[in-house]
Amino acid sequence: MNFLSINLRGIKDDCKARWINELKKDYKISFICIQETHRPDERGIHPQKFWGNSSYHSDFIPSTGTEGRSGGILSIWDPSSFTLSNTIKSTHYLITSGFINGTTSACHILNVYAPQEIPAKQSLWNEISNHIAATHGL
């Protein structure tokens, strides 16, 4: 299973979506993690632009800050490669848990966009560490 994680600094530009879609095809990507969507809500989030016409599942965390210009997280995956069992959402991360099809161990995929301030980063990593300590799997 191939993964792509990328900070796009906004997803409004259709050229970025076409580029990601080409990378997905060329490298047979099964799971895409996008940071900095710059979208304050689900309007304007069109995962099929990135994924193409094949079947997909997705989850989204809205951006924050002035006019939604800070953060925003989008995860998109192939349901024939990854079966979702749970998600954990926070302002700065999305944990997608499930099973890579054909395996029996749980897999936890962390899509994170960290804050810039040092104390906030430390708090975020402490929170993520607690999740890691409480879970089993890969």
Side-chain angles (χ1 to χ4, degrees), residues 6-94:
I6 189 162
N7 183 322
L8 283 184
R9 296 186 181 102
I11 62 170
K12 214 173 194 180
D13 184 355
D14 284 343
C15 291
K16 292 178 182 180
R18 284 192 300 274
W19 175 55
I20 296 299
N21 187 278
E22 287 299 315
L23 287 172
K24 177 195 165 282
K25 289 177 196 172
D26 291 347
Y27 294 97
K28 297 178 175 69
I29 304 295
S30 300
F31 203 109
I32 299 173
C33 296
I34 298 172
Q35 301 86 41
E36 276 198 281
T37 63
H38 292 182
R39 304 303 302 169
D41 55 46
E42 290 194 31
R43 291 176 301 179
I45 295 289
H46 304 287
Q48 71 277 7
K49 286 183 177 181
F50 299 93
W51 198 259
N53 293 327
S54 60
S55 178
Y56 68 89
H57 289 173
S58 64
D59 210 344
F60 169 71
I61 303 288
S63 59
T64 59
T66 308
E67 300 174 18
R69 298 286 298 168
S70 178
I73 298 169
L74 175 63
S75 292
I76 314 167
W77 64 92
D78 177 355
S80 70
S81 297
F82 182 81
T83 301
L84 178 70
S85 63
N86 188 36
T87 58
I88 300 171
K89 295 182 177 186
S90 178
T91 303
H92 295 287
Y93 62 87
L94 171 61

